[in-house]
Amino acid sequence: MKINKYMFREYDIRGIYGKDIDEEVSYLIGKSFGTKLKRLGKDTTIVGYDNRYSSPIIEKNLVKGITECGVNVVRLGLVTTPMYYYSWDLLDIHCGMMVTASHNPKDDNGFKFSYNGIHNAYGDSTIELYNMIVNKDFITSKNLGTIKNIDIKNDYIEMITSNINLGKRKLKVIYDCGNGTTSIVADQIFNTFHDKLEFIPLFNESDSSFPNHHPDPAVEENLSILKEKVKENHADVGIAFDGDGDRVGIIDEQGNFLDMDKYMILIWRDLRNKSVAKKTFYDVKCSLTLKEELDNLGIENEFYRTGNSYTKAKSVEGNYPFSGELSGHVFFRDKFNGYDDGIYAGLRLIEILSNTNKSITELLKGISHYESTPEIKIATPDEIKFQIIDKVKKYCLEKHYQILLVDGVKVFFEDGSALVRASNTGPNITTRFEAKTKERLEEIQTEFTNLIETLKEVSEGK
């Protein structure tokens, strides 16, 4: 059968259900994953799935493929991705596969997988599964693997809630599940704090059609209802989660969208005087505001590449107390296991606010200001997007610009920056721009947007 190679991306597998992913493709991915596990000497794996309508049928065929290789499967059933991560340690099974397309459109689905129970596989590990499928390089065992169903929900809720220590200030919080998978646990978690928090849930019923808004909290327009509810109810903070629950978005007390690099500043201003290592990293999409504030706080810091699998691996390997990405993936290792969990990330901010009388706006006083764009995605075919990035790099070198090449091209100016990188989760080029003034921001953005469009036209032969 023909299988779409472009589904096998840098750090996961994603495609459209019914077009790229169906029962047979799911089964073959299970066969390849099971074969790889056997070759690594692993005989048991964990499998979970999110609340997308296609997830149960994909998971069923995935499990069939894995067990035919003689690998035992512990099925978690419907879980958030952070619940799946938590199960690695809870069950002492350090490998697994999660059926999810995170924040992608409702008809998409995919797979995140791990061989070490520390971070997700990335790079060559994903294309390796594609090659195994194409070459029919499978192990078939005479003895089928066993299947065991386990419910970890109560253990997970206990772990999350016991980790948060709220102060005396009683906050008003609005949380938005976006009808995603966090709907299965968010109410129970927040109800645990009913005597210390006043909270209002939004879209907390699981619905894979995502009828109210797209479940991506990194995009401001998706949080328009949450913003209005925060202002309407005079809430202290609004919190939103993505489709599979591993990312968070924040609305401040004035109903303003809070870029996640500013969230990171809030966390580090709280952590700096505590006995944690003063070092961190953040992805290239983050602003110079974050870098300058961390420098002021005496925190050793660096830009790093974007991508959950890469950033999570780095956070573990370097044992960073806290690190993250602009998209809302953040990793706490000061008193948490280090995986990205949107609900936990939201509660950590609530914990800080509950121990002070200051608002989010007041806690952010004194940071440097840059005018900035949100993350902008420019639709670009997978076949040419990396070629365009190479040409942008060449252009910058010819201009003698100061650049960082850890992920795409990050250009530094005296009064701002530009980022141009190829998305690893879709056929897009991702950009973000910032500058000290609106006029300069427009200048930088126009230069690189025009450059990309010109390069696209040339590459597409227009």
Side-chain angles (χ1 to χ4, degrees):
M1 67 169 293
K2 187 172 176 58
I3 190 164
N4 183 2
K5 184 177 182 179
Y6 291 107
M7 287 198 308
F8 296 78
R9 301 179 181 277
E10 274 290 307
Y11 35 85
D12 59 13
I13 302 168
R14 292 192 197 183
I16 300 171
Y17 180 69
K19 177 185 176 187
D20 303 311
I21 301 173
D22 57 16
E23 289 85 344
E24 185 178 4
V25 170
S26 304
Y27 165 74
L28 292 173
I29 287 172
K31 287 279 282 184
S32 62
F33 183 63
T35 296
K36 178 68 177 180
L37 289 175
K38 290 294 281 188
R39 289 173 180 166
L40 290 172
K42 295 178 180 287
D43 60 7
T44 304
T45 190
I46 295 167
V47 172
Y49 63 86
D50 72 9
N51 76 330
R52 289 169 185 268
Y53 72 92
S54 58
S55 292
I57 190 67
I58 289 174
E59 188 262 5
K60 179 182 176 182
N61 287 279
L62 174 73
V63 169
K64 182 174 184 287
I66 294 171
T67 54
E68 283 187 8
C69 299
V71 176
N72 305 319
V73 174
V74 174
R75 299 173 86 170
L76 304 178
L78 175 62
V79 290
T80 65
T81 294
M83 291 170 71
Y84 155 75
Y85 291 151
Y86 170 61
S87 74
W88 293 342
D89 293 328
L90 177 69
L91 304 176
D92 196 24
I93 300 171
H94 298 283
C95 56
M97 189 166 269
M98 178 72 188
V99 177
T100 180
S102 185
H103 60 279
N104 275 31
K106 63 183 180 180
D107 291 331
D108 284 16
N109 218 319
F111 309 84
K112 296 178 180 179
F113 58 100
S114 175
Y115 297 123
N116 58 17
I118 299 173
H119 56 75
N120 289 325
Y122 57 84
D124 292 341
S125 294
T126 55
I127 200 67
E128 180 183 22
L129 296 188
Y130 168 79
N131 290 330
M132 290 168 73
I133 293 169
V134 170
N135 296 319
K136 299 180 180 177
D137 179 19
F138 304 130
I139 289 173
T140 299
S141 175
K142 292 180 181 178
N143 300 311
L144 290 179
T146 62
I147 297 175
K148 185 178 182 180
N149 297 305
I150 290 186
D151 184 354
I152 66 163
K153 185 177 179 180
N154 290 335
D155 291 293
Y156 170 78
I157 291 171
E158 168 63 22
M159 181 274 297
I160 290 289
T161 55
S162 64
N163 193 281
I164 298 296
N165 300 304
L166 298 185
K168 294 180 179 179
R169 179 184 175 195
K170 189 166 185 176
L171 300 170
K172 183 181 284 188
V173 177
I174 301 178
Y175 62 90
D176 179 358
C177 297
N179 302 111
T181 318
T182 54
S183 301
I184 69 171
V185 291
D187 289 351
Q188 285 178 254
I189 288 172
F190 279 90
N191 276 323
T192 305
F193 303 107
H194 70 275
D195 58 334
K196 294 188 175 183
L197 291 178
E198 182 181 345
F199 50 85
I200 300 170
L202 279 182
F203 314 131
N204 57 332
E205 293 181 357
S206 178
D207 186 338
S208 62
S209 68
F210 308 129
N212 294 290
H213 65 76
H214 190 65
D216 184 354
V219 178
E220 185 172 355
E221 66 187 52
N222 295 333
L223 306 187
S224 58
I225 300 172
L226 177 60
K227 290 166 74 171
E228 288 305 313
K229 290 294 182 183
V230 167
K231 289 189 286 186
E232 203 178 285
N233 291 277
H234 304 288
D236 297 290
V237 63
I239 300 168
F241 315 117
D242 75 331
D244 66 334
D246 58 5
R247 295 192 297 120
V248 69
I250 305 294
I251 300 299
D252 73 15
E253 81 286 351
Q254 297 178 10
N256 297 316
F257 180 80
L258 190 75
D259 289 325
M260 283 304 294
D261 38 23
K262 292 186 177 69
Y263 169 93
M264 292 183 222
I265 289 173
L266 289 170
I267 299 299
W268 270 113
R269 283 186 166 183
D270 179 65
L271 286 180
R272 65 171 170 165
N273 294 324
K274 298 176 180 177
S275 57
V276 296
K278 292 177 172 55
K279 61 177 184 175
T280 190
F281 70 89
Y282 40 87
D283 77 315
V284 291
K285 290 188 278 190
C286 289
S287 168
L288 292 171
T289 298
L290 175 59
K291 175 171 177 48
E292 290 170 9
E293 178 61 19
L294 290 169
D295 288 343
N296 291 337
L297 292 174
I299 309 296
E300 179 186 334
N301 64 90
E302 64 175 312
F303 283 103
Y304 189 61
R305 68 181 303 164
T306 293
N308 166 259
S309 297
Y310 294 106
T311 50
K312 189 172 182 181
K314 185 174 177 67
S315 74
V316 173
E317 290 158 7
N319 197 24
Y320 294 87
F322 173 69
S323 52
E325 298 185 46
L326 187 72
S327 64
H329 287 290
V330 292
F331 312 96
F332 289 92
R333 296 186 63 78
D334 60 325
K335 59 171 186 169
F336 193 63
N337 285 352
Y339 54 81
D340 36 341
D341 186 317
I343 294 177
Y344 180 75
L347 287 171
R348 282 296 292 261
L349 178 56
I350 291 170
E351 183 180 67
I352 290 170
L353 291 171
S354 74
N355 283 284
T356 177
N357 290 320
K358 293 182 178 179
S359 66
I360 290 174
T361 302
E362 290 168 333
L363 288 172
L364 284 171
K365 276 187 177 176
I367 64 173
S368 58
H369 176 71
Y370 284 85
E371 300 288 341
S372 64
T373 68
E375 180 183 350
I376 301 168
K377 294 183 179 180
I378 301 172
T380 308
D382 284 318
E383 305 93 290
I384 65 169
K385 64 186 183 185
F386 290 103
Q387 299 170 25
I388 289 174
I389 299 303
D390 288 339
K391 289 173 182 175
V392 171
K393 173 186 170 183
K394 183 180 178 184
Y395 168 86
C396 291
L397 290 172
E398 288 172 351
K399 287 274 192 177
H400 302 290
Y401 287 159
Q402 180 187 347
I403 58 175
L404 176 70
L405 301 174
V406 69
D407 183 3
V409 184
K410 177 101 174 176
V411 190
F412 298 99
F413 301 103
E414 287 185 2
D415 56 354
S417 74
L419 173 69
V420 182
R421 59 177 291 276
S423 169
N424 285 307
T425 58
N428 302 296
I429 284 177
T430 301
T431 63
R432 194 187 186 203
F433 309 100
E434 63 182 335
K436 286 290 187 181
T437 66
K438 290 182 180 179
E439 293 75 19
R440 178 62 175 140
L441 173 62
E442 186 177 343
E443 200 175 275
I444 294 172
Q445 183 175 352
T446 299
E447 176 183 359
F448 284 92
T449 301
N450 288 347
L451 173 64
I452 293 165
E453 291 300 336
T454 299
L455 293 173
K456 272 181 65 179
E457 288 177 8
V458 171
S459 297
E460 292 171 344
K462 292 181 180 177

